[in-house]
Structures are given as C-alpha cells and as structure tokens.
Amino acid sequence: MGGYGALRYAGRHPELFSAVGAFSPGTDIYDPGAQAIITGSTWQVGASILWTGLFDGKFRVTGDTAYRMATVFGPPATWPGQNPVNLALDGKYASYGGKPALYAGGTGGTGEQEIGAMTAALHQDLKDHAVTHRYCRGSGDHAWPYWGPELKDFVAYAYGTAPGTAPAPAPCPNGWGLENP
C-alpha cells in the first residue's frame, strides 16, 4: 500500500513534506473493491514481507471484511482522518503548492483497473477543490516497469521548474501522452 501510504502521510502531515507522488495508489478505503483487495491480501499473505512469513499462518489476518479492515486501519470512526479522498475533501493537499502527483494505469489483473478508477475520482476531487496537481493515467499495470518512469517524472515535476512557470506540462511517462485534464 505504498501509494496509499504516501497520500495518507502527506495528507495527515503536510508540515513534514514538500511534495507527494502516488503511484497506483489506493485512494478510498471505503470502496468495496479496495476493501476486497486489502482483505484478500491480509488473508493470503498477512503481514509477511516478500518470502518472510509467507507460509506461516500466524502472519495472516482471518475473519470477516470488517474485522480485517479494522485490523489494518483501526476503528472505522478513525478512517476519515486516514482516507485520501476524505483528506482531499478537507483540503489537506492544498498546501503542497501544486506538487501532488497521481499516476495510475488502467489495465491488468492486479486491481489496477479499480485503482485507476479510484485515482480518477481523487483527481476530480482535487480539481473540484482547485488543488493544482499532476495527473497521469494510461494503459499501464500495477507493476515496476511503469512505476520507474513515473518516479523519474515525479522527481522532475516536484523538484524541477516551479508549477505555472513552464510553458506546458511535460508529457506523462510510459507513452501516455499529455497530462490528463
């Protein structure tokens, strides 16, 4: 949950960060598709990291969806303060001076179609609240071959020319063309 984590920590602690880049991020923990991905992962691999603990059942979280979600995120009453969509609606990304960036694909069997749709919704929320940000979306998948070029693009975007001073945004990476409106 790296993309989700980046958005969560940036939204909760804008005083600590100057930019936020989210690659294939989970953006809404209330979404049933996101919950299916999260709870499926907690049951299949639990708290394992790579092969460490993968086959050890004590790292797995069993139980129904509500229990597994509460195990990961705490009581549901605390979710708005850690859910990127809620953080966006509360204006938590506005202080980044145009340096939030969202990247998502839209293909593949790894949940990227759902993640792409959720990221598009967050993009719209940011637009609706006049939060300047970069949004790149294309036919990519939830995989490192896409995230590498996205990371390079994000670093150039966040630490290159100040927002609004360049004649036009650079094309999005991965052959996705111009930045999505």
Side-chain angles (χ1 to χ4, degrees):
M1 292 191 293
Y4 161 79
L7 291 171
R8 175 184 173 181
Y9 289 112
R12 293 180 70 187
H13 302 286
E15 74 281 4
L16 298 177
F17 304 100
S18 61
V20 57
F23 312 101
S24 297
T27 61
D28 188 358
I29 61 177
Y30 293 101
D31 182 271
Q35 289 189 9
I37 292 168
I38 294 162
T39 61
S41 296
T42 60
W43 178 83
Q44 293 171 17
V45 296
S48 68
I49 298 173
L50 295 175
W51 291 103
T52 305
L54 182 62
F55 297 109
D56 187 340
K58 72 180 180 186
F59 290 98
R60 294 187 176 126
V61 180
T62 59
D64 64 11
T65 296
Y67 177 79
R68 288 190 240 170
M69 290 296 292
T71 299
V72 175
F73 298 106
T78 66
W79 294 3
Q82 51 188 317
N83 189 38
V85 167
N86 293 90
L87 294 168
L89 296 176
D90 288 343
K92 300 296 184 180
Y93 302 109
S95 67
Y96 283 94
K99 297 203 176 177
L102 304 172
Y103 301 85
T107 62
T110 54
E112 191 68 14
Q113 288 178 327
E114 295 84 357
I115 289 169
M118 285 187 284
T119 304
L122 179 60
H123 160 66
Q124 189 61 51
D125 289 340
L126 292 171
K127 276 181 61 174
D128 291 348
H129 287 82
V131 175
T132 302
H133 63 287
R134 182 155 173 78
Y135 174 60
C136 293
R137 182 167 181 210
S139 59
D141 200 352
H142 199 81
W144 283 107
Y146 293 95
W147 297 329
E150 291 167 0
L151 178 59
K152 289 178 187 176
D153 181 80
F154 170 67
V155 170
Y157 172 73
Y159 301 103
T161 306
T165 61
C172 289
N174 299 316
W176 292 348
L178 296 177
E179 181 174 0
N180 289 297

